[in-house]
């Protein structure tokens, strides 16, 4: 059961710990040094703690446990046997096969592991069993401490229906809606009509965007009820739904609360979480550009009032929707650690996992409300194995053939649970990591995020780096003009990648041409002393043709020492680099402007893929002669797929709505694909007769 850390893993862990400590402590003024995370070896908590989770959050909990001197037990499915959290823990036990219902949601198996390992406490992370009152009850019955609130608070606040009623009683602003469980699709339609469209259909249990749909009419309400109930049952084991008025164009701002068992409760400022796709957060930051001190205080005080109303004890998050007039409405409370908690840690200096463990052991909070600072600014980007060009992110699977986190960039923190060689599978959430940057102000934090994204090496799976980078540099985002509709408003026709300016296009062409020439020169070099003297090439200029997008550009390159002078569009650019072609990252200076690029692929035909300003561009670089001859090469005809319905993502077919011989209409549902715990309806692209249902 023991899993020892190898030298490389120990080194990586040490780097991660040092980076996290830097993020928690850096820039804290002397007057606030009390609030940088400190770990008292004489403060006894637990000897051994089990983490009932996987991936990055399991690794995150293990790091704090190591600082506190607590031994850890990891659980894992059979496909996660070589996962990073398994290697980091002191012990690791398999709890079942890959499907979550048979492993990470398998309470009987997890309880058995707790008994076998004699773990004194359990940290549930987020998702899975983190808000399951039955799991907390079973732990309490066995005398095992649940690192979270008690069963009453989980029931009251984890259930969106009951929590809304409690919020009303605690005088917290709430959204108009139906305060009960929706029985079936017909009742959902009736309730939606009474409330008035649009409405939000969402799971009573859980969160994270699972089991959540917006409906604008009766048909969408029926469809939303079906999918939301199925997703809720799959993700949380609870298919109950509620319906409430959908507030159009709001901001999503949440308040972090922390409470102990002695009646003390604090609000740890807010997190801005408005950049979302499919109701799941993509970019978060703390603090929010929108809140003034009065609104922040009012939201914080209402959040604490709600926590005290249910005698809440642990870290929790009260989520609000905020309209353009700064009116705010209670959305839900998550009785667990949030995915985006690192940005709060960066601006307050608190280690929230440590605070949760201390509270669970019975210690009182160490701080008062007036002591909680807002120091600097933190931004978090969720890096996903997704194709951002498809609905802002459809899941991608594969093996990470190359992986390098940008920890060399100052004030960067990466919370991840993967490493080079890890598999991104269809069974779990496609998150690769949480990338966090910190600065003394927002501009500094965003600039560091831009640099960190450029220096993040991820090969083997499609990822959303290009979308993240475009979001953080977009003028609307930079000036704080955002809402939960940011992505569809900014990209109404879908995300297309970075649109190059004329200058940026010239920079890319010059860089690609310089890379081509540098590679040609390297191929002429010989190592050692050959027996036969070889005449050195005296060539110093090249005439090339570069194909980019719909354009073909003549490019002239001449060598000048370690630099290249490149002529594009009649303009000359000076391109300088160390030209280390074996490195996954290449720092290039173009007329004094530094760019970090990645060359992802190349072949003998001159085709190459370069990641430039976050977006991957495909180019073909040929000599002038080769370009003239290439026009005589036949082109391969594109496959006609108009009569084929092919899933745009890997996943499991959970329902087939038709059979061979059926007549189908354009827009009719053919099947339902489940991928990474989300269900997606596949529809017919045209009207016709179904010939065959099968797989390739």
């Amino acid at each position: 059961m023991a899993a020892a850390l190898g030298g490389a893993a120990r080194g990586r862990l040490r780097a991660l710990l040092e980076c996290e400590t830097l993020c928690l402590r850096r820039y804290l003024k002397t007057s606030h040094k009390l609030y940088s995370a400190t770990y008292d070896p004489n403060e006894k908590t637990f000897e051994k703690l089990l983490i009932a989770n996987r991936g990055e959050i399991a690794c995150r909990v293990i790091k704090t446990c190591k600082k506190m001197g607590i031994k850890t037990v990891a659980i894992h499915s059979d496909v996660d046997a070589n996962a990073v959290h398994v290697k980091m823990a002191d012990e690791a036990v398999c709890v079942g096969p890959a499907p979550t219902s048979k492993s990470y949601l398998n309470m009987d198996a997890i309880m058995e592991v707790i008994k076998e390992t004699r773990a004194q406490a359990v940290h549930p992370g987020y998702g899975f069993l983190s808000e399951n009152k039955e799991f907390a009850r079973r732990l309490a019955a066995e005398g095992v401490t649940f690192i979270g609130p008690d069963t009453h608070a989980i029931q009251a606040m984890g259930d969106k229906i009951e929590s809304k009623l409690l919020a009303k009683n605690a005088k917290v602003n709430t959204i108009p809606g139906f305060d009960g469980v929706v029985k079936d699709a017909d009742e959902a339609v009736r309730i939606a009509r009474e409330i008035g469209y649009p409405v939000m259909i969402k799971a009573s249990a859980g969160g994270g965007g699972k089991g959540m749909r917006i409906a604008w009419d009766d048909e969408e309400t029926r469809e939303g009820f079906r999918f939301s109930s199925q997703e809720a049952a799959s993700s949380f084991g609870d298919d109950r739904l509620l319906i409430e008025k959908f507030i159009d164009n709001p901001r999503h701002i949440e308040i972090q609360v922390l409470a102990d068992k002695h009646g003390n409760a604090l609000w740890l400022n807010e997190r801005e979480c408005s950049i979302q796709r499919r109701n799941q957060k993509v970019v978060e930051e703390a603090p929010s550009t929108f809140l003034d001190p009065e609104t922040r205080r009012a939201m914080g005080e209402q959040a604490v009032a709600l926590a005290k109303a249910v005698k809440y004890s642990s870290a929790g998050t009260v989520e609000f929707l905020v309209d353009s007039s700064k009116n705010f409405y209670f959305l839900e409370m998550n009785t667990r650690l949030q995915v985006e908690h690192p940005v709060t840690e960066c601006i307050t200096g608190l280690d929230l996992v440590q605070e949760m463990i201390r509270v669970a052991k019975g210690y009182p909070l160490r701080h008062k409300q007036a002591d909680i600072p807002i120091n600097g600014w933190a931004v978090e980007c969720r890096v996903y194995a997704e194709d951002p060009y498809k609905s802002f992110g459809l899941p991608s699977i594969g093996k990470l053939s190359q992986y390098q986190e940008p920890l060399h960039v100052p004030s960067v923190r990466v919370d991840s649970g993967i490493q080079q060689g890890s598999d991104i599978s269809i069974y779990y959430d496609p998150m690769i990591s949480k990338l966090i940057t910190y600065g003394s102000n927002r501009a500094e934090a965003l600039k560091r995020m831009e640099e960190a994204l450029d220096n993040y090496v991820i090969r083997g799976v499609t990822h959303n780096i290009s979308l993240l980078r475009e979001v953080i540099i977009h003028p609307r985002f930079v000036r704080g003009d955002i809402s939960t509709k940011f992505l569809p408003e900014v990209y109404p026709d879908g995300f297309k990648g970075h649109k190059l300016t004329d200058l940026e296009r010239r920079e890319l062409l010059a860089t690609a041409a310089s890379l081509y020439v540098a590679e040609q020169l390297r191929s002429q070099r010989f190592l050692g002393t050959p027996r036969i003297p070889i005449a050195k090439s005296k060539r110093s200029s090249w005439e090339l043709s570069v194909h980019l997008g719909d354009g073909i550009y003549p490019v002239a390159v001449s060598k000048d020492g370690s630099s290249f002078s490149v002529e594009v569009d009649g303009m000359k650019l000076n391109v300088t680099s160390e030209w280390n072609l074996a490195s996954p990252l290449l720092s290039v200076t173009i007329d004094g402007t530094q760019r970090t690029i990645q060359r992802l692929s190349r072949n003998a035909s001159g085709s190459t893929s370069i990641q430039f300003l976050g977006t991957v561009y495909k180019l073909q670089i040929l000599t002038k002669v080769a370009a003239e001859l290439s026009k005589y090469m036949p082109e391969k005809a594109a496959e006609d797929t108009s009569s084929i319905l092919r899933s745009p993502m890997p996943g499991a077919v959970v329902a087939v709505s038709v059979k061979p011989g059926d007549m189908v209409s354009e827009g009719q549902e053919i099947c339902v694909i489940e991928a990474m715990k989300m269900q997606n309806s596949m529809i017919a692209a045209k009207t016709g007769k179904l010939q065959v249902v099968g797989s390739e």
Side-chain angles (χ1 to χ4, degrees):
M1 287 197 308
L5 277 170
R10 281 196 302 269
R12 181 175 179 275
L13 173 61
R14 189 161 48 248
L16 287 171
L17 292 175
E18 289 172 355
C19 183
E20 179 182 289
T21 301
L22 172 66
C23 192
L24 288 172
R25 297 184 177 182
R26 195 177 176 95
Y27 299 108
L28 291 178
K29 299 176 182 178
T30 304
S31 60
H32 293 302
K33 66 182 179 180
L34 175 65
Y35 307 110
S36 60
T38 57
Y39 306 91
D40 183 358
N42 298 316
E43 186 177 76
K44 301 302 179 185
T45 53
F46 305 100
E47 293 183 6
K48 186 182 290 188
L49 182 148
L50 180 141
I51 300 100
N53 216 300
R54 64 178 299 279
E56 68 86 10
I57 190 58
C59 296
R60 167 70 188 89
V61 174
I62 291 171
K63 286 187 283 187
T64 288
C65 286
K66 288 184 179 297
K67 294 174 183 177
M68 297 178 72
I70 302 171
K71 292 182 179 179
T72 53
V73 180
I75 61 169
H76 64 89
S77 65
D78 54 4
V79 298
D80 273 346
N82 295 315
V84 174
H85 77 280
V86 172
K87 298 175 181 179
M88 286 178 64
D90 297 294
E91 302 174 55
V93 183
C94 182
V95 289
T100 56
S101 61
K102 298 178 180 179
S103 53
Y104 296 104
L105 290 173
N106 187 344
M107 273 191 263
D108 290 338
I110 296 172
M111 293 301 299
E112 190 60 34
V113 173
I114 292 169
K115 291 178 183 178
E116 289 178 7
T117 59
R118 297 182 180 180
Q120 299 171 319
V122 172
H123 197 299
Y126 55 76
F128 295 134
L129 297 172
S130 62
E131 296 177 286
N132 189 300
K133 65 181 182 299
E134 176 61 20
F135 183 53
R137 186 195 64 77
R138 289 183 64 173
L139 290 174
E142 295 294 329
V144 178
T145 301
F146 180 75
I147 309 297
D150 60 23
T151 54
H152 166 66
I154 294 174
Q155 167 65 38
M157 303 309 290
D159 186 309
K160 293 179 177 60
I161 297 171
E162 187 175 349
S163 66
K164 188 173 180 180
L165 294 172
L166 282 165
K168 282 184 176 180
N169 293 333
K171 302 190 184 311
V172 176
N173 305 341
T174 58
I175 302 171
F178 176 68
D179 300 327
V181 179
V182 183
K183 297 183 178 65
D184 52 38
D186 289 336
E187 185 179 37
V189 169
R190 179 182 61 78
I191 294 168
R193 288 175 177 174
E194 291 176 357
I195 296 172
Y197 288 110
V199 297
M200 174 73 81
I201 304 167
K202 60 184 181 181
S204 176
K210 307 295 192 301
M212 189 177 292
R213 291 289 192 283
I214 299 168
W216 294 82
D217 55 37
D218 292 356
E219 183 181 351
E220 290 186 1
T221 298
R222 292 183 185 278
E223 184 181 80
F225 181 88
R226 178 162 67 99
F227 285 132
S228 292
S229 59
Q230 290 172 355
E231 286 178 5
S234 173
S235 297
F236 315 116
D238 185 343
D239 63 358
R240 292 176 304 143
L241 302 176
L242 61 87
I243 299 179
E244 61 190 18
K245 180 69 176 176
F246 175 65
I247 298 178
D248 202 13
N249 213 37
R251 285 175 179 259
H252 184 136
I253 301 176
E254 60 192 28
I255 299 291
Q256 176 72 56
V257 296
L258 181 64
D260 62 23
K261 300 177 187 295
H262 305 277
N264 304 306
L266 305 171
W267 48 274
L268 308 181
N269 304 309
E270 79 279 3
R271 294 186 288 258
E272 173 71 73
C273 307
S274 296
I275 307 299
Q276 303 180 4
R277 53 97 179 91
R278 298 192 301 277
N279 299 307
Q280 289 183 307
K281 301 159 191 171
V282 179
V283 178
E284 302 101 346
E285 60 182 309
S288 168
T289 60
F290 189 62
L291 297 190
D292 53 61
E294 292 73 22
T295 307
R296 176 179 296 116
R297 185 182 307 108
M299 292 175 70
E301 289 174 351
Q302 286 197 18
V304 166
L306 188 58
K308 288 185 174 182
V310 288
K311 297 181 172 58
Y312 193 86
S313 62
S314 191
T317 298
V318 181
E319 300 189 348
F320 293 94
L321 291 182
V322 185
D323 67 20
S324 58
S325 299
K326 297 184 181 177
N327 299 307
F328 57 91
Y329 305 94
F330 171 71
L331 183 63
E332 63 185 24
M333 181 172 187
N334 293 311
T335 58
R336 54 170 168 81
L337 192 65
Q338 287 283 82
V339 176
E340 59 274 16
H341 74 273
V343 292
T344 296
E345 293 183 325
C346 284
I347 68 166
T348 63
L350 298 177
D351 180 336
L352 293 181
V353 174
Q354 178 197 23
E355 298 300 329
M356 293 178 76
I357 293 173
R358 292 186 72 259
V359 166
K361 186 62 178 177
Y363 290 108
L365 299 181
R366 296 178 290 179
H367 317 303
K368 302 296 182 183
Q369 186 62 61
D371 302 329
I372 302 302
I374 296 181
N375 264 331
W377 212 283
V379 179
E380 174 179 291
C381 285
R382 299 193 190 188
V383 181
Y384 283 102
E386 291 181 338
D387 185 349
Y389 299 95
K390 297 177 180 178
S391 300
F392 299 112
L394 290 184
S396 168
I397 63 170
K399 185 184 289 290
L400 288 167
S401 57
Q402 194 168 14
Y403 183 74
Q404 183 177 307
E405 296 173 347
L407 295 176
H408 60 285
V409 178
S411 297
V412 166
R413 168 176 166 179
V414 183
D415 281 16
S416 68
I418 48 88
Q419 60 187 357
Q420 188 163 301
S422 292
D423 286 306
I424 306 295
S425 75
I426 66 171
Y427 298 107
Y428 311 116
D429 189 273
M431 182 186 288
I432 293 173
S433 72
K434 300 179 312 198
L435 177 63
I436 305 102
T437 57
Y438 178 79
S440 57
N441 53 52
R442 188 170 186 259
E444 189 176 283
L446 289 176
K447 189 62 180 175
R448 283 177 176 155
M449 179 61 74
E450 185 180 340
E451 184 181 358
L453 289 168
D454 284 341
N455 282 271
Y456 207 148
V457 178
I458 304 171
R459 311 280 171 85
V461 297
T462 306
H463 55 75
N464 67 334
I465 292 288
S466 56
L467 174 63
L468 296 172
R469 194 183 190 282
E470 285 303 292
V471 168
I472 66 163
I473 67 170
H474 194 279
R476 269 190 59 179
F477 182 86
V478 172
R479 66 175 180 263
D481 178 17
I482 60 176
S483 74
T484 56
K485 283 191 169 184
F486 179 89
L487 291 180
E489 286 178 352
V490 171
Y491 309 106
D493 300 321
F495 179 67
K496 307 296 183 184
H498 181 72
K499 185 176 180 180
L500 294 169
T501 63
D502 287 342
L503 175 60
E504 291 168 347
R505 176 180 55 81
R506 288 192 292 269
E507 288 180 350
L508 175 57
L509 292 171
T511 300
S514 298
L515 265 173
Y516 174 87
V517 172
E519 192 162 50
Q520 295 299 309
L521 293 173
R522 187 182 69 166
S523 68
Q524 297 172 8
R525 292 201 300 266
F526 286 82
L527 296 178
T529 305
R531 294 183 178 182
I532 301 173
I534 298 173
K536 293 184 178 180
S537 173
K538 297 186 181 298
R539 187 176 181 182
S540 61
S541 63
W542 294 259
E543 290 188 2
L544 304 175
S545 175
V546 183
H547 188 175
L548 171 64
D550 296 328
I552 298 177
Y553 305 91
V555 179
V557 182
S558 58
K559 192 173 187 303
D560 182 14
S562 61
S563 301
F564 293 104
S565 178
V566 185
E567 185 174 339
V568 184
D569 296 342
M571 301 182 66
K572 286 193 175 183
L573 295 88
N574 183 266
V575 184
T576 305
S577 176
E578 293 183 359
W579 306 114
N580 180 2
L581 303 182
S583 173
L585 295 170
L586 193 64
S587 178
V588 180
T589 301
I590 311 158
D591 282 350
T593 301
Q594 190 276 332
R595 304 286 192 193
T596 299
I597 69 165
Q598 300 183 37
R599 186 173 64 172
L600 306 182
S601 66
R602 63 184 177 87
N603 60 30
S605 68
S607 295
T608 185
S609 294
I610 294 176
Q611 183 173 309
F612 177 76
L613 301 177
T615 294
V616 177
Y617 296 94
K618 294 182 179 180
L619 307 94
Q620 186 178 38
I621 307 169
L622 300 173
T623 63
K624 188 176 181 180
V625 173
E628 287 293 325
L629 295 174
S630 67
K631 66 180 67 173
Y632 301 107
M633 298 293 290
E635 293 186 7
K636 183 179 179 180
E639 179 187 6
D640 181 10
T641 60
S642 61
S643 298
I644 301 172
L645 177 64
R646 186 173 290 159
S647 176
M649 76 207 85
V653 178
V654 296
V656 178
S657 307
V658 294
K659 62 183 183 299
D662 286 355
M663 290 297 299
V664 297
S665 302
E666 181 180 349
Q668 181 179 337
E669 180 180 288
I670 303 298
C671 64
V672 176
I673 303 292
E674 183 174 85
M676 278 85 167
K677 300 188 287 184
M678 296 291 286
Q679 294 195 354
N680 304 273
S681 176
M682 302 291 107
I683 61 174
K686 65 180 183 179
T687 299
K689 186 176 182 179
L690 196 67
Q691 291 184 332
V692 64
V693 178
S695 59
E696 294 184 338

